[in-house]
Amino acid sequence: MIIMIFVCGEGLGHTSRCISIGKELKSAGHCVHFGAYGYSKELIERKGFIAHEVPSEITLVGKAGTLNLKRSILASFKRGQFLGLIRLHRLLRRIRPDIVISDSYYMGILSARSRSVPCYLILNQSNMEEFFKGKGVSSKIVAEIVKKFYIGMFKLVDNVIIPDYPPPHTVCRKNLEFGSNTLRKVLYCGPLAGMSFEKTEAQPLSSPHVLCTVGGFGYREPIFRKVIDAAAMDSTINYTLLCGPSVEPSVFGTIPENVQILRFIDDQFPYLKASDVVIAPGGHSTMMEALSFGIPMITVPDLNHSEQQNNASVIEEDGLGKKIDYSTSPGEILEYIRLLMNDETYRIRLAGMREMAEQLNGAASVRRELEKCGDIRREEK
């Protein structure tokens, strides 16, 4: 089959899980095209896939550790980013895909439906209206518009794929809300990590080791510096900190000998396998990767970001890690690191999550679903 995968480029979590699907489909002999933009497109191309430039759909607006979704939507409309449907229609006419996958990229769904192409939506949040609760009358109106938009999208797609563990272990469960008609379309495929634990060779890192992917840019810089301060309190624990591709590590001055600061790692999985604890934001894809490798997490969700806050709460409630915020002290961070490294109950739970991820094999589950759809289409013809 020819399969087109549209990717929302706001955050590389969408990109990493789509690359996982792309690898699985390509290894099975299918022809895979991606529609992406910005750094997401560059990363996809570096992984050896065909990537076509598509219009960005959302402009993210916020400051001081918060995301302002209302302003983000207004900014997106002002830039005319929702007027790229003609370009997408032409792209699909040229590629002629058998199936379209859209990871939170809604123009891709509309374009697929306009050409009567089966379409699958990947998402880990279906209650975006939560962003607007308690923020005034105008926000309530926007929330209703967003909710109706989501419901409309669910009606258009053939299936909704949740890249997470099935209930009751679903990490994004607090961010999901479906009506009965949509619920029949939902598939919990399991985590879509880019590499499996067994096939990954661990990076030779000093042990014990902490991997921090928070990033040292913008509003996240204070928590990044707190992790450095925590490292200075105990030289027996080693750290690799990713500061982000746009940040020069030298800006953090003299760092402890047990800390390594890198701008970016193209393949984080060898580092993940070699680590005992991961410190990361509340992004869903990062959580799925850590759980797939059986690594406990310290999560730092963005302020007022309901999706990340909910994800982080589930991680703590299910005994898979700890949730902190921007007021947490370096001493408290170190205390949590020691707890996650030394408490046997965490290791047992995380080992179970790793085994479950291997059994689910998320990418293979998606491939089988698409191939089943392809078989049905051929029979109909």
Side-chain angles (χ1 to χ4, degrees):
M1 294 186 294
I2 300 173
I3 298 169
M4 170 63 77
I5 304 177
F6 287 112
V7 185
C8 171
E10 309 304 332
L12 291 181
H14 301 282
T15 307
S16 63
R17 64 195 188 194
C18 285
I19 288 174
S20 174
I21 295 173
K23 287 180 179 178
E24 176 70 22
L25 292 169
K26 191 174 181 179
S27 68
H30 300 292
C31 178
V32 181
H33 291 257
F34 280 84
Y37 54 92
Y39 192 78
S40 173
K41 179 175 179 288
E42 294 175 17
L43 181 57
I44 290 166
E45 289 173 329
R46 287 209 302 274
K47 295 296 183 179
F49 291 99
I50 303 168
H52 306 270
E53 184 77 29
V54 298
S56 62
E57 196 168 46
I58 296 292
T59 296
L60 297 183
V61 178
K63 61 180 180 179
T66 68
L67 172 68
N68 189 317
L69 191 59
K70 179 182 176 182
R71 288 179 59 198
S72 296
I73 290 174
L74 292 175
S76 299
F77 272 112
K78 287 178 181 178
R79 288 184 56 188
Q81 290 165 288
F82 297 119
L83 303 178
L85 290 171
I86 295 175
R87 286 176 57 187
L88 296 185
H89 188 79
R90 289 172 178 168
L91 177 62
L92 293 185
R93 186 171 59 191
R94 187 169 76 251
I95 303 300
R96 299 177 64 83
D98 297 291
I99 295 175
V100 166
I101 302 174
S102 182
D103 190 328
S104 307
Y105 186 80
Y106 297 98
M107 285 194 293
I109 296 171
L110 297 174
S111 299
R113 271 291 162 245
S114 72
R115 295 189 59 81
S116 301
V117 179
C119 185
Y120 289 73
L121 171 62
I122 300 176
L123 56 75
N124 52 272
Q125 182 179 19
S126 66
N127 61 348
M128 288 283 284
E129 67 274 10
E130 293 292 318
F131 274 104
F132 305 97
K133 281 190 174 179
K135 296 179 181 179
V137 176
S138 61
S139 293
K140 187 175 181 180
I141 293 171
V142 175
E144 286 300 314
I145 294 173
V146 169
K147 187 172 184 178
K148 289 180 180 179
F149 173 79
Y150 257 77
I151 293 172
M153 290 296 108
F154 296 152
K155 290 179 180 178
L156 291 178
V157 299
D158 293 85
N159 286 93
V160 177
I161 297 172
I162 312 296
D164 201 328
Y165 295 88
H169 305 288
T170 311
V171 172
C172 65
R173 58 182 179 261
K174 293 185 178 183
N175 298 316
L176 299 177
E177 184 179 327
F178 298 111
S180 56
N181 291 333
T182 303
L183 203 55
R184 291 193 290 268
K185 300 180 179 182
V186 173
L187 167 67
Y188 291 88
C189 69
L192 290 170
M195 283 291 291
S196 70
F197 180 85
E198 295 299 332
K199 292 181 180 179
T200 300
E201 183 176 347
Q203 186 78 7
L205 300 174
S206 300
S207 184
H209 208 92
V210 176
L211 175 64
C212 176
T213 65
V214 169
F217 54 87
Y219 61 82
R220 289 179 178 171
E221 182 179 342
I223 200 75
F224 191 89
R225 291 186 179 276
K226 286 183 179 183
V227 174
I228 295 175
D229 291 341
M233 295 177 177
D234 186 346
S235 61
T236 66
I237 303 175
N238 304 280
Y239 295 73
T240 295
L241 280 68
L242 305 186
C243 64
S246 62
V247 180
E248 179 55 53
S250 61
V251 302
F252 299 103
T254 304
I255 60 173
E257 292 185 359
N258 57 329
V259 174
Q260 172 186 217
I261 298 181
L262 303 176
R263 295 179 70 179
F264 181 74
I265 302 173
D266 203 36
D267 183 3
Q268 297 185 21
F269 294 104
Y271 285 81
L272 189 60
K273 188 169 183 176
S275 299
D276 301 281
V277 174
V278 175
I279 303 175
H284 183 260
S285 292
T286 302
M287 291 181 174
M288 291 298 101
E289 291 170 353
L291 295 178
S292 296
F293 276 61
I295 312 297
M297 297 187 67
I298 295 176
T299 61
V300 196
D302 289 348
L303 300 172
N304 298 334
H305 194 307
S306 62
E307 186 230 337
Q308 290 193 9
Q309 293 287 341
N310 286 340
N311 291 337
S313 294
V314 170
I315 289 292
E316 184 161 77
E317 290 168 9
D318 288 4
L320 305 173
K322 302 298 290 186
K323 174 185 176 183
I324 66 174
D325 58 36
Y326 285 77
S327 67
T328 304
S329 69
E332 290 171 313
I333 293 173
L334 179 58
E335 181 183 332
Y336 288 143
I337 290 171
R338 289 169 173 165
L339 172 67
L340 297 180
M341 284 183 174
N342 299 322
D343 192 324
E344 185 68 22
T345 57
Y346 283 100
R347 280 202 288 271
I348 293 172
R349 290 193 192 103
L350 269 300
M353 299 302 283
R354 178 170 66 82
E355 291 172 7
M356 197 187 314
E358 290 176 358
Q359 293 169 2
L360 290 166
N361 196 343
S365 178
V366 173
R367 173 183 54 77
R368 289 192 295 268
E369 177 65 28
L370 300 183
E371 288 174 340
K372 183 170 66 175
C373 175
D375 291 340
I376 294 172
R377 292 265 291 178
R378 280 190 291 272
E379 290 175 3
E380 291 175 347
K381 291 180 179 179

